[in-house]
Amino acid sequence: MAIDGSIHLEGRINAHRRLLVELVSVMAAVPAARAALLAMARDNETVFDHEEDPGVEPDAAFAAQQIADDEIRAILKAAMARLETRT
């Protein structure tokens, strides 16, 4: 049975995410690294204060950056939760 290309890609992305969550949770056990990771979770990569006003409907670049910011926060949140279950 052939696996559809998008399903194959989704499976690989999910594997990378699981691995990344585990690695970040291990890193977060180091106090200095944890502080940096928590700061990263608070920060946005998207622009602030209308530096580049996307208008009423943001273009694809703004949407993609927001998706990336959301995913970073989700990975960091999952990693911190995993760390908490270990301690």
Side-chain angles (χ1 to χ4, degrees):
M1 170 165 74
I3 297 177
D4 178 66
S6 63
I7 293 173
H8 180 75
L9 182 60
E10 182 177 349
R12 292 184 66 172
I13 289 171
N14 287 336
H16 291 143
R17 187 181 192 285
R18 287 176 43 209
L19 179 62
L20 187 56
V21 166
E22 182 62 27
L23 291 172
V24 170
S25 71
V26 170
M27 286 177 32
V30 178
R34 183 181 180 113
L37 292 168
L38 291 173
M40 185 179 200
R42 285 189 307 269
D43 295 340
N44 256 345
E45 293 293 324
T46 53
V47 296
F48 291 105
D49 299 328
H50 308 291
E51 292 170 358
E52 292 182 33
D53 188 353
V56 175
E57 301 230 358
D59 65 9
F62 280 94
Q65 189 58 55
Q66 185 61 52
I67 292 167
D69 285 345
D70 292 344
E71 184 62 13
I72 288 170
R73 283 192 192 88
I75 288 169
L76 292 170
K77 181 179 178 182
M80 295 303 172
R82 183 170 292 182
L83 177 65
E84 293 302 319
T85 61
R86 283 194 207 127
T87 57

Coordinates of all heavy atoms in Angstrom, one line a residue:
M1 N 0.8 -1.2 0.0 CA 0.0 0.0 0.0 C 0.9 1.2 0.0 O 1.8 1.4 0.8 CB -0.9 0.0 1.2 CG -1.7 1.3 1.4 SD -3.0 1.2 2.6 CE -2.3 1.1 4.1
A2 N 0.7 2.1 -0.9 CA 1.5 3.4 -1.0 C 0.9 4.4 0.0 O -0.3 4.5 0.2 CB 1.4 3.9 -2.4
I3 N 1.8 5.1 0.6 CA 1.4 6.1 1.6 C 1.4 7.5 0.8 O 2.4 7.8 0.2 CB 2.4 6.2 2.7 CG1 2.3 4.9 3.5 CG2 2.1 7.3 3.7 CD1 3.3 4.8 4.7
D4 N 0.3 8.2 1.0 CA 0.2 9.5 0.3 C 1.3 10.4 0.9 O 1.7 10.4 2.0 CB -1.2 10.1 0.7 CG -1.4 11.5 0.2 OD1 -1.4 11.6 -1.1 OD2 -1.5 12.4 1.0
G5 N 1.8 11.3 0.0 CA 2.9 12.2 0.3 C 2.7 13.1 1.5 O 3.5 13.3 2.4
S6 N 1.4 13.6 1.6 CA 1.1 14.5 2.7 C 1.0 13.7 4.0 O 1.4 14.3 5.1 CB -0.2 15.2 2.4 OG -1.3 14.4 2.4
I7 N 0.6 12.5 4.0 CA 0.5 11.7 5.2 C 1.9 11.4 5.7 O 2.3 11.4 6.9 CB -0.3 10.4 5.0 CG1 -1.8 10.8 4.8 CG2 -0.1 9.4 6.2 CD1 -2.6 9.6 4.4
H8 N 2.8 11.1 4.7 CA 4.2 10.8 5.0 C 4.9 12.0 5.7 O 5.5 11.9 6.7 CB 5.0 10.4 3.7 CG 6.4 10.1 3.9 ND1 6.8 9.0 4.5 CD2 7.5 10.9 3.7 CE1 8.2 9.0 4.5 NE2 8.6 10.1 4.0
L9 N 4.6 13.2 5.1 CA 5.1 14.4 5.6 C 4.6 14.7 7.0 O 5.3 15.1 8.0 CB 4.8 15.6 4.7 CG 5.4 17.0 5.1 CD1 6.9 16.9 5.2 CD2 4.9 18.0 4.1
E10 N 3.3 14.5 7.2 CA 2.7 14.7 8.5 C 3.3 13.8 9.6 O 3.6 14.2 10.7 CB 1.2 14.5 8.5 CG 0.5 14.8 9.8 CD -1.0 14.6 9.7 OE1 -1.6 14.5 8.6 OE2 -1.7 14.6 10.8
G11 N 3.5 12.6 9.2 CA 4.2 11.6 10.2 C 5.6 12.0 10.5 O 5.9 12.0 11.7
R12 N 6.3 12.5 9.6 CA 7.7 13.0 9.9 C 7.7 14.2 10.7 O 8.5 14.3 11.7 CB 8.4 13.2 8.6 CG 8.7 11.9 7.8 CD 9.5 12.2 6.6 NE 10.8 12.6 7.1 CZ 11.9 12.8 6.3 NH1 11.7 12.5 5.0 NH2 13.0 13.2 6.7
I13 N 6.8 15.2 10.5 CA 6.7 16.4 11.3 C 6.3 16.0 12.7 O 6.9 16.6 13.7 CB 5.7 17.4 10.7 CG1 6.3 18.0 9.4 CG2 5.3 18.5 11.7 CD1 5.3 18.8 8.6
N14 N 5.4 15.1 12.9 CA 5.0 14.7 14.2 C 6.1 14.0 15.0 O 6.3 14.3 16.2 CB 3.8 13.7 14.2 CG 2.5 14.4 13.8 OD1 2.3 15.6 14.0 ND2 1.5 13.7 13.3
A15 N 6.9 13.2 14.3 CA 8.1 12.6 14.9 C 9.1 13.7 15.3 O 9.6 13.6 16.4 CB 8.7 11.6 13.9
H16 N 9.3 14.6 14.5 CA 10.3 15.7 14.8 C 9.8 16.5 16.0 O 10.6 16.9 16.9 CB 10.5 16.7 13.6 CG 11.2 16.0 12.5 ND1 10.9 16.3 11.2 CD2 12.2 15.2 12.5 CE1 11.7 15.6 10.4 NE2 12.5 14.9 11.1
R17 N 8.5 16.7 16.1 CA 7.9 17.5 17.2 C 8.1 16.7 18.5 O 8.4 17.3 19.5 CB 6.4 17.8 16.9 CG 5.8 18.7 17.9 CD 4.4 19.0 17.6 NE 3.8 20.1 18.4 CZ 3.5 20.0 19.7 NH1 3.7 18.9 20.3 NH2 3.0 21.0 20.3
R18 N 7.8 15.4 18.5 CA 7.9 14.6 19.7 C 9.4 14.6 20.1 O 9.6 14.7 21.4 CB 7.4 13.2 19.4 CG 5.9 13.1 19.3 CD 5.4 11.7 18.9 NE 6.1 10.7 19.6 CZ 6.2 9.4 19.1 NH1 5.8 9.1 17.9 NH2 6.8 8.5 19.8
L19 N 10.3 14.5 19.2 CA 11.7 14.5 19.6 C 12.1 15.8 20.1 O 12.8 15.9 21.2 CB 12.6 14.1 18.4 CG 14.1 14.1 18.6 CD1 14.5 13.1 19.6 CD2 14.8 13.9 17.2
L20 N 11.6 16.9 19.5 CA 12.0 18.3 20.0 C 11.4 18.5 21.4 O 12.1 19.1 22.2 CB 11.4 19.3 19.0 CG 11.8 20.7 19.2 CD1 13.4 20.9 19.3 CD2 11.3 21.6 18.1
V21 N 10.2 18.1 21.6 CA 9.6 18.3 23.0 C 10.5 17.6 24.0 O 10.7 18.1 25.1 CB 8.1 17.8 23.0 CG1 7.6 17.6 24.4 CG2 7.2 18.7 22.2
E22 N 10.9 16.4 23.7 CA 11.7 15.6 24.7 C 13.1 16.3 24.9 O 13.5 16.5 26.0 CB 11.9 14.2 24.2 CG 12.8 13.3 25.1 CD 12.1 13.1 26.5 OE1 10.9 13.2 26.6 OE2 12.9 12.9 27.4
L23 N 13.7 16.7 23.8 CA 15.0 17.4 24.0 C 14.9 18.7 24.7 O 15.7 19.0 25.6 CB 15.6 17.7 22.6 CG 16.1 16.5 21.8 CD1 16.5 16.9 20.4 CD2 17.2 15.8 22.5
V24 N 13.8 19.5 24.5 CA 13.6 20.7 25.2 C 13.3 20.5 26.7 O 13.8 21.2 27.5 CB 12.5 21.6 24.5 CG1 12.1 22.8 25.4 CG2 12.9 22.1 23.1
S25 N 12.6 19.4 27.0 CA 12.3 19.1 28.4 C 13.6 18.8 29.1 O 13.7 19.1 30.3 CB 11.2 18.0 28.5 OG 11.7 16.8 28.1
V26 N 14.5 18.1 28.5 CA 15.8 17.7 29.1 C 16.6 19.0 29.3 O 17.2 19.2 30.4 CB 16.5 16.7 28.2 CG1 18.0 16.5 28.7 CG2 15.8 15.4 28.2
M27 N 16.6 19.9 28.3 CA 17.3 21.2 28.4 C 16.7 22.0 29.5 O 17.5 22.7 30.3 CB 17.3 21.9 27.1 CG 18.1 21.4 26.0 SD 18.0 22.3 24.5 CE 17.6 24.0 24.9
A28 N 15.4 22.0 29.7 CA 14.8 22.8 30.7 C 15.1 22.5 32.1 O 14.8 23.2 33.0 CB 13.2 22.8 30.5
A29 N 15.7 21.3 32.3 CA 16.1 20.9 33.7 C 17.3 21.7 34.1 O 17.6 21.8 35.3 CB 16.5 19.4 33.7
V30 N 18.0 22.4 33.2 CA 19.1 23.3 33.6 C 18.5 24.7 33.8 O 17.9 25.2 32.9 CB 20.2 23.3 32.4 CG1 21.3 24.3 32.7 CG2 20.7 21.9 32.1
P31 N 18.7 25.2 35.0 CA 18.0 26.5 35.3 C 18.3 27.6 34.3 O 17.3 28.3 34.0 CB 18.6 26.8 36.7 CG 19.0 25.5 37.3 CD 19.4 24.7 36.1
A32 N 19.5 27.8 33.9 CA 19.7 28.9 32.9 C 19.0 28.7 31.6 O 18.5 29.6 31.0 CB 21.2 29.1 32.7
A33 N 19.0 27.4 31.2 CA 18.3 27.1 29.9 C 16.8 27.2 30.1 O 16.1 27.7 29.2 CB 18.7 25.6 29.5
R34 N 16.3 26.8 31.2 CA 14.9 27.0 31.5 C 14.4 28.4 31.4 O 13.4 28.8 30.8 CB 14.5 26.4 32.9 CG 13.0 26.4 33.2 CD 12.7 25.8 34.5 NE 11.3 25.9 34.8 CZ 10.5 24.9 34.9 NH1 11.0 23.7 34.7 NH2 9.2 25.0 35.1
A35 N 15.2 29.3 32.0 CA 14.9 30.7 32.0 C 14.9 31.2 30.5 O 14.0 32.0 30.1 CB 15.9 31.5 32.8
A36 N 15.8 30.8 29.7 CA 15.9 31.2 28.3 C 14.7 30.7 27.6 O 14.1 31.4 26.7 CB 17.2 30.7 27.7
L37 N 14.3 29.4 27.8 CA 13.1 28.8 27.2 C 11.8 29.5 27.6 O 11.0 29.8 26.7 CB 13.1 27.3 27.5 CG 14.2 26.5 26.9 CD1 14.2 25.1 27.5 CD2 14.1 26.5 25.4
L38 N 11.7 29.9 28.9 CA 10.5 30.6 29.3 C 10.4 32.0 28.7 O 9.3 32.4 28.3 CB 10.5 30.7 30.8 CG 10.2 29.3 31.6 CD1 10.4 29.5 33.0 CD2 8.9 28.8 31.2
A39 N 11.6 32.6 28.5 CA 11.6 33.9 27.8 C 11.2 33.8 26.4 O 10.4 34.6 25.9 CB 13.0 34.5 27.9
M40 N 11.6 32.7 25.8 CA 11.3 32.5 24.4 C 9.7 32.2 24.3 O 9.1 32.7 23.3 CB 12.0 31.2 23.9 CG 11.8 30.9 22.4 SD 12.8 29.5 21.9 CE 12.9 29.8 20.2
A41 N 9.2 31.6 25.2 CA 7.7 31.3 25.2 C 6.9 32.7 25.3 O 5.8 32.8 24.8 CB 7.3 30.4 26.3
R42 N 7.5 33.6 26.0 CA 6.8 34.9 26.2 C 7.0 35.8 25.0 O 6.2 36.7 24.8 CB 7.4 35.6 27.4 CG 7.0 35.1 28.8 CD 7.4 36.1 29.9 NE 8.8 36.4 29.8 CZ 9.8 35.7 30.5 NH1 9.5 34.6 31.2 NH2 11.0 36.0 30.4
D43 N 8.1 35.7 24.3 CA 8.4 36.6 23.2 C 7.6 36.2 21.9 O 7.3 35.0 21.7 CB 9.9 36.6 22.9 CG 10.7 37.2 24.0 OD1 10.1 37.9 24.9 OD2 11.9 36.9 24.1
N44 N 7.4 37.2 21.1 CA 6.8 37.0 19.8 C 7.8 37.3 18.7 O 8.6 38.2 18.9 CB 5.6 38.0 19.6 CG 4.3 37.3 19.8 OD1 4.1 36.1 19.7 ND2 3.3 38.2 19.9
E45 N 7.8 36.6 17.7 CA 8.6 36.9 16.5 C 7.9 37.8 15.6 O 8.5 38.5 14.7 CB 9.0 35.6 15.8 CG 9.9 34.7 16.6 CD 11.3 35.3 16.8 OE1 11.8 36.0 15.9 OE2 11.8 35.1 17.9
T46 N 6.6 37.9 15.7 CA 5.8 38.8 14.9 C 6.1 40.3 15.3 O 6.5 40.5 16.4 CB 4.3 38.5 14.9 OG1 3.9 38.5 16.3 CG2 4.0 37.2 14.3
V47 N 5.8 41.2 14.4 CA 6.1 42.6 14.7 C 5.1 43.2 15.7 O 4.0 42.7 15.9 CB 6.0 43.4 13.4 CG1 7.0 42.9 12.4 CG2 4.6 43.3 12.8
F48 N 5.6 44.2 16.4 CA 4.9 44.9 17.4 C 4.7 46.3 17.0 O 5.4 46.9 16.2 CB 5.7 44.9 18.8 CG 5.8 43.5 19.4 CD1 7.0 42.8 19.3 CD2 4.7 43.0 20.0 CE1 7.1 41.6 19.9 CE2 4.8 41.7 20.6 CZ 6.0 41.0 20.6
D49 N 3.7 47.0 17.6 CA 3.5 48.4 17.5 C 3.4 48.9 16.0 O 3.9 49.9 15.6 CB 4.6 49.2 18.2 CG 4.7 48.9 19.7 OD1 3.6 48.7 20.2 OD2 5.8 49.0 20.2
H50 N 2.8 48.0 15.2 CA 2.5 48.4 13.8 C 3.8 48.7 13.1 O 3.8 49.5 12.2 CB 1.5 49.6 13.7 CG 0.3 49.4 14.5 ND1 -0.7 48.5 14.2 CD2 -0.1 49.9 15.7 CE1 -1.6 48.5 15.1 NE2 -1.3 49.4 16.0
E51 N 4.9 48.0 13.4 CA 6.1 48.2 12.7 C 5.9 47.9 11.2 O 6.4 48.6 10.4 CB 7.2 47.2 13.2 CG 7.6 47.5 14.6 CD 8.5 46.4 15.2 OE1 8.7 45.4 14.5 OE2 9.0 46.6 16.3
E52 N 5.1 46.9 10.9 CA 4.7 46.6 9.5 C 3.2 46.3 9.6 O 2.9 45.1 9.9 CB 5.5 45.5 8.9 CG 7.0 45.8 8.7 CD 7.7 44.7 8.1 OE1 7.1 44.0 7.3 OE2 8.9 44.5 8.3
D53 N 2.4 47.2 9.5 CA 1.0 47.0 9.7 C 0.5 46.0 8.6 O 0.5 46.3 7.4 CB 0.2 48.3 9.6 CG -1.2 48.2 9.9 OD1 -1.7 47.1 10.1 OD2 -1.9 49.2 10.0
P54 N -0.1 44.9 9.0 CA -0.5 43.9 8.0 C -1.9 44.3 7.4 O -2.3 43.7 6.5 CB -0.7 42.6 8.8 CG -1.0 43.1 10.2 CD -0.2 44.4 10.4
G55 N -2.5 45.3 7.9 CA -3.8 45.8 7.4 C -4.9 44.9 8.0 O -4.8 44.2 8.9
V56 N -6.1 45.0 7.3 CA -7.2 44.3 7.9 C -7.0 42.8 7.7 O -7.4 42.0 8.7 CB -8.5 44.7 7.1 CG1 -9.7 43.9 7.5 CG2 -8.8 46.2 7.3
E57 N -6.5 42.3 6.6 CA -6.3 40.9 6.4 C -4.8 40.7 6.2 O -4.2 41.1 5.2 CB -7.0 40.5 5.2 CG -8.5 40.7 5.3 CD -9.3 39.5 4.9 OE1 -8.7 38.4 4.6 OE2 -10.5 39.5 5.0
P58 N -4.1 40.1 7.2 CA -2.7 39.8 7.1 C -2.4 38.9 5.9 O -3.2 38.1 5.6 CB -2.3 39.1 8.4 CG -3.5 39.2 9.3 CD -4.7 39.6 8.5
D59 N -1.2 39.2 5.3 CA -0.9 38.3 4.2 C -0.3 37.0 4.7 O -0.2 36.8 5.9 CB 0.1 39.1 3.3 CG 1.5 39.3 3.9 OD1 1.7 38.8 5.0 OD2 2.3 40.1 3.3
A60 N 0.1 36.2 3.8 CA 0.6 34.8 4.1 C 1.8 34.8 5.0 O 1.9 34.0 5.9 CB 0.8 34.0 2.9
A61 N 2.7 35.8 4.8 CA 3.9 35.9 5.7 C 3.5 36.1 7.1 O 4.1 35.5 8.0 CB 4.8 37.0 5.2
F62 N 2.6 37.0 7.4 CA 2.2 37.3 8.8 C 1.5 36.1 9.3 O 1.7 35.7 10.5 CB 1.3 38.5 8.9 CG 2.0 39.8 8.9 CD1 2.2 40.5 7.7 CD2 2.5 40.3 10.0 CE1 2.9 41.7 7.7 CE2 3.2 41.5 10.0 CZ 3.4 42.2 8.8
A63 N 0.6 35.4 8.6 CA -0.1 34.2 9.0 C 0.9 33.1 9.3 O 0.8 32.4 10.4 CB -1.1 33.8 8.0
A64 N 1.9 32.9 8.5 CA 2.9 31.8 8.7 C 3.7 32.1 9.9 O 4.0 31.2 10.7 CB 3.8 31.7 7.5
Q65 N 4.0 33.4 10.2 CA 4.8 33.7 11.4 C 4.0 33.5 12.6 O 4.5 33.0 13.6 CB 5.3 35.2 11.3 CG 6.3 35.5 12.4 CD 7.5 34.6 12.4 OE1 8.2 34.5 11.4 NE2 7.7 33.9 13.5
Q66 N 2.7 33.8 12.6 CA 1.9 33.6 13.8 C 1.7 32.1 14.0 O 1.7 31.7 15.2 CB 0.5 34.2 13.6 CG -0.4 34.1 14.8 CD 0.1 34.8 16.0 OE1 0.5 36.0 15.9 NE2 0.2 34.1 17.1
I67 N 1.6 31.3 13.0 CA 1.5 29.9 13.2 C 2.8 29.4 13.8 O 2.8 28.5 14.7 CB 1.2 29.2 11.8 CG1 -0.2 29.5 11.3 CG2 1.5 27.7 11.9 CD1 -0.5 29.1 9.9
A68 N 4.0 29.9 13.3 CA 5.2 29.5 13.9 C 5.3 29.9 15.4 O 5.8 29.1 16.2 CB 6.4 30.1 13.1
D69 N 4.9 31.1 15.7 CA 4.9 31.5 17.1 C 4.1 30.6 18.0 O 4.5 30.2 19.1 CB 4.4 33.0 17.3 CG 5.4 34.0 16.8 OD1 6.6 33.7 16.6 OD2 5.0 35.2 16.6
D70 N 2.9 30.3 17.5 CA 2.0 29.4 18.2 C 2.6 28.0 18.4 O 2.5 27.4 19.5 CB 0.6 29.3 17.5 CG -0.2 30.6 17.5 OD1 0.2 31.5 18.3 OD2 -1.1 30.7 16.7
E71 N 3.2 27.5 17.4 CA 3.8 26.2 17.5 C 5.0 26.2 18.5 O 5.2 25.2 19.2 CB 4.3 25.7 16.1 CG 4.8 24.3 16.1 CD 3.8 23.2 16.5 OE1 2.6 23.4 16.6 OE2 4.3 22.0 16.8
I72 N 5.8 27.2 18.4 CA 6.9 27.3 19.4 C 6.4 27.3 20.8 O 6.9 26.5 21.7 CB 7.8 28.6 19.2 CG1 8.6 28.4 17.9 CG2 8.7 28.9 20.4 CD1 9.3 29.7 17.4
R73 N 5.3 28.1 21.1 CA 4.8 28.1 22.4 C 4.2 26.7 22.8 O 4.3 26.3 23.9 CB 3.7 29.1 22.5 CG 4.3 30.5 22.6 CD 3.2 31.5 23.0 NE 3.7 32.8 22.8 CZ 3.7 33.5 21.7 NH1 3.2 33.1 20.6 NH2 4.3 34.7 21.6
A74 N 3.5 26.1 21.8 CA 3.0 24.7 22.1 C 4.1 23.7 22.5 O 3.9 22.9 23.4 CB 2.1 24.3 20.9
I75 N 5.2 23.7 21.7 CA 6.3 22.8 22.0 C 6.9 23.1 23.3 O 7.1 22.2 24.1 CB 7.3 22.9 20.9 CG1 6.8 22.3 19.6 CG2 8.6 22.3 21.3 CD1 7.6 22.6 18.4
L76 N 7.1 24.4 23.7 CA 7.7 24.8 25.0 C 6.7 24.4 26.1 O 7.2 23.9 27.1 CB 8.0 26.2 25.0 CG 9.1 26.7 24.1 CD1 9.2 28.2 24.0 CD2 10.5 26.1 24.5
K77 N 5.4 24.6 25.9 CA 4.5 24.2 26.9 C 4.5 22.7 27.2 O 4.5 22.2 28.3 CB 3.1 24.7 26.5 CG 2.0 24.4 27.5 CD 0.7 24.9 27.1 CE -0.4 24.6 28.1 NZ -1.7 25.0 27.6
A78 N 4.5 21.9 26.1 CA 4.5 20.5 26.2 C 5.8 20.0 26.9 O 5.8 19.1 27.7 CB 4.4 19.8 24.8
A79 N 6.9 20.7 26.6 CA 8.2 20.3 27.2 C 8.2 20.6 28.7 O 8.7 19.8 29.5 CB 9.3 21.0 26.5
M80 N 7.7 21.7 29.0 CA 7.6 22.1 30.5 C 6.7 21.2 31.2 O 7.0 20.7 32.3 CB 7.2 23.6 30.7 CG 8.1 24.6 30.1 SD 9.8 24.4 30.8 CE 10.7 25.6 29.7
A81 N 5.6 20.8 30.6 CA 4.7 19.8 31.3 C 5.4 18.5 31.4 O 5.2 17.8 32.5 CB 3.4 19.7 30.4
R82 N 6.1 18.0 30.4 CA 6.8 16.8 30.5 C 7.9 16.8 31.6 O 8.1 15.9 32.4 CB 7.5 16.4 29.2 CG 8.2 15.1 29.2 CD 8.6 14.7 27.9 NE 7.4 14.4 27.1 CZ 7.4 13.9 25.8 NH1 8.6 13.7 25.2 NH2 6.3 13.7 25.2
L83 N 8.6 18.0 31.7 CA 9.6 18.1 32.8 C 8.9 18.0 34.2 O 9.4 17.4 35.1 CB 10.3 19.4 32.6 CG 11.3 19.8 33.7 CD1 12.5 18.8 33.7 CD2 11.9 21.2 33.5
E84 N 7.8 18.7 34.3 CA 7.1 18.7 35.6 C 6.6 17.3 36.0 O 6.6 17.0 37.2 CB 5.9 19.6 35.6 CG 6.2 21.1 35.4 CD 7.1 21.6 36.5 OE1 6.9 21.2 37.7 OE2 8.1 22.4 36.2
T85 N 6.3 16.4 35.1 CA 5.9 15.1 35.4 C 7.0 14.2 35.9 O 6.8 13.2 36.6 CB 5.2 14.4 34.2 OG1 6.1 14.3 33.1 CG2 3.9 15.1 33.8
R86 N 8.2 14.6 35.5 CA 9.4 13.9 35.9 C 9.9 14.2 37.3 O 10.6 13.5 37.9 CB 10.6 14.1 34.9 CG 10.5 13.4 33.7 CD 11.8 13.5 32.9 NE 11.5 13.4 31.5 CZ 11.9 14.2 30.6 NH1 12.7 15.2 30.9 NH2 11.6 14.0 29.4
T87 N 9.6 15.5 37.7 CA 10.2 15.9 39.0 C 9.2 15.7 40.1 O 8.1 15.3 40.1 CB 10.5 17.4 38.9 OG1 9.4 18.2 38.6 CG2 11.6 17.7 38.0

